[in-house]
């Protein structure tokens, strides 16, 4: 059942008689004629001001000051360049003004351009009553400042205790193996905006990614999201920018992006660039599980000790922290028992050193073979993350030696 948004109720009294719940800027009479009754149907008696031309900047400011709208609906296709300038100008306005771009068709490039200029929502022609209702419902959520609730989707954050521990490779392969277990919706998100390598490792390219998702996170919907993600062996992949200059340096909180993604997926793996900083800490706190990746080399273990101490100081729950020792070989570095003793905690997973299988995977941009030693370990980790019991080794058929031993064990002399 659709609940009437609080800001659309007839009891609203804080707005003046001249105010409008929304302003429709649409020079196209056909679009205006089609959209106007649908909008009014869901505004529940509140006013909608129609403007049949694109106003200049001064006129636009006068409209906003006079009517104090909650939302402005901008028809983009009539004059794309002018419409985008209007959207950008509206985005500069103070307050919680919501900007809805009206498009005649689903054009991913135009849609992303609207996002980058400041649009927070979209409506596509033909205008469906249900879609308009959903958009207005999301706008009411933004205006009221409601905080999103928790989602049931699991989020696994893979963090390297020290650089070059193989965290990105582990994150990608865990996402693949979880998809193979039968989950239909799995996301791999490269949230290392400066030095992310997921795109390089998986041989993926996309002109869109995490920067676009973050720039207008309040305007995301499933249609927009589909144009932002790439695809790899059944896994959706949100890529970091190939050009570090595109990074949103003032973006310090990925929480809302993660919340949105948790509405769409059953399992999310986040490849995080490191442990320290507000960005990384926000991801760690949002995660259901944190895999702290290290190796059995002494410098990496010292970095792991510091990372665990840092998490403790920031009140990140130890219960969701799991240490993964990657590229493990008992012939080099510390043994597993010594690592656990040095860290004062058990080692949850050990992934053996398997240079040939890993390098073959990286060269081809494919998952590590599940028949390799590293691949078998990654399957085990993925089952643990999903809360499933580890695969039991197959029982061997008894050979002649076993049969002879069994006969003699029962023999009496």
């Amino acid at each position: 059942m659709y609940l009437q948004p609080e800001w659309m109720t007839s009891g609203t009294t804080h707005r003046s008689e001249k105010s409008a719940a929304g302003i429709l800027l649409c020079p196209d009479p056909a679009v205006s004629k089609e959209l106007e009754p649908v909008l009014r149907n869901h505004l529940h008696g509140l006013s909608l001001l129609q403007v049949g031309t694109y106003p200049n900047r001064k006129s636009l400011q006068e409209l906003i000051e006079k009517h104090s709208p909650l939302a402005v609906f901008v028809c983009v296709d009539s004059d794309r360049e002018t419409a985008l300038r209007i959207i950008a100008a509206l985005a500069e306005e103070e307050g919680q003004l919501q900007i809805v771009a009206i498009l005649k068709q689903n054009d991913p490039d135009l849609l992303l351009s609207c996002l980058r200029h400041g649009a927070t929502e979209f409506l596509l022609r033909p205008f469906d009553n249900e879609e308009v209702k959903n958009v207005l419902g999301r706008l009411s959520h933004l205006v009221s400042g409601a905080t999103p609730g928790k989602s049931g989707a699991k989020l696994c954050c893979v963090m390297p205790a020290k650089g070059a521990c193989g965290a990105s490779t582990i994150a990608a392969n865990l996402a693949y193996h979880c998809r193979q277990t039968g989950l239909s919706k799995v996301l791999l998100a490269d949230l290392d905006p400066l030095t992310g390598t997921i795109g390089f490792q998986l041989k993926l390219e996309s002109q869109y990614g995490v920067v676009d998702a973050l720039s207008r996170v309040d305007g995301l919907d499933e249609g927009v999201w589909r144009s932002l993600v790439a695809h790899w062996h059944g896994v959706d992949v949100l890529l970091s920018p190939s050009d570090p200059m595109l990074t949103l340096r003032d973006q310090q909180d990925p929480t809302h992006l993660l919340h949105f993604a948790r509405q769409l997926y059953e399992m999310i793996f986040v490849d995080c660039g490191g442990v320290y900083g507000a960005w990384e800490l926000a991801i760690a706190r949002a995660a259901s599980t944190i895999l702290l990746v290290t190796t059995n080399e002494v410098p990496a273990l010292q970095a792991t000790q510091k990372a665990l101490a840092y998490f403790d100081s920031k009140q990140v729950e130890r219960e969701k922290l799991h240490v993964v020792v990657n590229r493990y070989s008992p012939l080099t570095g510390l043994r597993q028992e010594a690592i656990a003793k040095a860290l004062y905690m058990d080692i949850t997973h050990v992934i053996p050193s398997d240079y040939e299988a890993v390098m073959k995977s990286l060269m081809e941009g494919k998952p590590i073979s599940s028949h390799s030693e590293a691949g078998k370990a990654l399957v085990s980790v993925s089952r643990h993350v999903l809360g499933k019991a580890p695969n039991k080794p197959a029982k061997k058929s008894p050979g002649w030696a076993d049969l002879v031993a069994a006969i003699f064990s029962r023999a009496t002399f």
Side-chain angles (χ1 to χ4, degrees), residues 106 111 221-228:
N106 191 356
L111 188 147
D221 60 26
E222 194 166 355
V224 177
W225 184 263
R226 283 197 296 267
S227 66
L228 297 178

Side-chain angles (χ1 to χ4, degrees), residues 5-53:
E6 183 180 343
W7 60 279
M8 293 180 184
T9 59
S10 57
T12 304
T13 59
H14 65 280
R15 305 179 59 75
S16 69
E17 292 182 0
K18 293 183 178 180
S19 66
I23 297 178
L24 174 59
L25 304 179
C26 185
D28 188 329
V31 174
S32 183
K33 183 178 180 180
E34 183 180 340
L35 178 60
E36 183 265 341
V38 182
L39 286 176
R40 289 191 185 280
N41 184 45
H42 296 289
L43 287 175
H44 300 282
L46 292 186
S47 60
L48 175 69
L49 176 66
Q50 294 186 69
V51 180
T53 60

Side-chain angles (χ1 to χ4, degrees), residues 85-147:
R85 284 203 301 267
I86 288 175
I87 290 174
L90 290 170
E92 295 174 2
E93 293 290 328
E94 295 182 359
Q96 294 182 310
L97 178 64
Q98 305 304 312
I99 308 162
V100 183
I102 310 300
L103 305 177
K104 292 182 179 179
Q105 57 186 356
N106 191 356
D107 182 339
D109 290 332
L110 180 57
L111 188 147
L112 263 296
S113 185
C114 291
L115 263 182
R116 288 169 172 168
H117 281 77
T120 52
E121 280 287 353
F122 298 89
L123 285 173
L124 300 178
R125 198 178 186 190
F127 306 113
D128 178 71
N129 266 289
E130 192 67 25
E131 181 59 28
V132 171
K133 182 172 66 175
N134 291 337
V135 167
L136 294 180
R138 288 193 294 269
L139 292 184
S140 69
H141 166 76
L142 294 172
V143 171
S144 65
T147 55

Side-chain angles (χ1 to χ4, degrees), residues 257-388:
L257 174 62
L258 293 174
H259 171 76
F260 174 82
R262 292 176 101 160
Q263 318 293 315
L264 303 181
Y265 295 93
E266 298 169 88
M267 187 72 213
I268 299 172
F269 288 91
V270 173
D271 178 26
C272 199
V275 171
Y276 307 100
W279 172 268
E280 291 78 5
L281 189 60
I283 297 172
R285 285 175 171 161
S288 312
T289 302
I290 301 171
L291 300 182
L292 186 61
V293 182
T294 186
T295 65
N296 63 339
E297 300 164 327
V298 173
L301 292 175
Q302 184 184 33
T304 308
Q305 288 176 327
K306 292 181 178 180
L308 291 172
Y310 174 76
F311 282 135
D312 286 341
S313 71
K314 299 299 182 181
Q315 290 80 51
V316 175
E317 303 95 316
R318 272 286 179 118
E319 291 76 15
K320 64 181 181 182
L321 272 165
H322 302 273
V323 175
V324 178
V325 180
N326 191 29
R327 298 198 295 265
Y328 177 77
S329 171
L331 302 177
T332 60
L334 297 177
R335 290 182 176 270
Q336 186 173 344
E337 298 79 8
I339 297 171
K341 187 175 181 180
L343 298 179
Y344 296 98
M345 69 182 298
D346 293 334
I347 307 306
T348 311
H349 301 288
V350 173
I351 300 175
S353 179
D354 195 346
Y355 180 83
E356 184 177 342
V358 174
M359 288 307 299
K360 186 176 189 298
S361 162
L362 293 175
M363 293 296 291
E364 297 177 351
K366 296 179 179 178
I368 297 172
S369 171
S370 58
H371 299 295
S372 67
E373 292 304 311
K376 293 175 184 176
L378 287 164
V379 170
S380 177
V381 178
S382 69
R383 292 185 65 83
H384 175 265
V385 170
L386 290 173
K388 297 186 176 184

Side-chain angles (χ1 to χ4, degrees), residues 206-247:
S206 175
Q207 66 181 115
Y208 306 120
V210 66
V211 172
D212 301 289
L214 287 166
S215 63
R216 290 295 167 186
V217 67
D218 288 337
L220 286 175
D221 60 26
E222 194 166 355
V224 177
W225 184 263
R226 283 197 296 267
S227 66
L228 297 178
V229 294
H231 307 283
W232 181 74
H233 294 275
V235 175
D236 284 1
V237 185
L238 185 65
L239 297 173
S240 64
S242 56
D243 182 359
M245 296 303 292
L246 294 176
T247 300

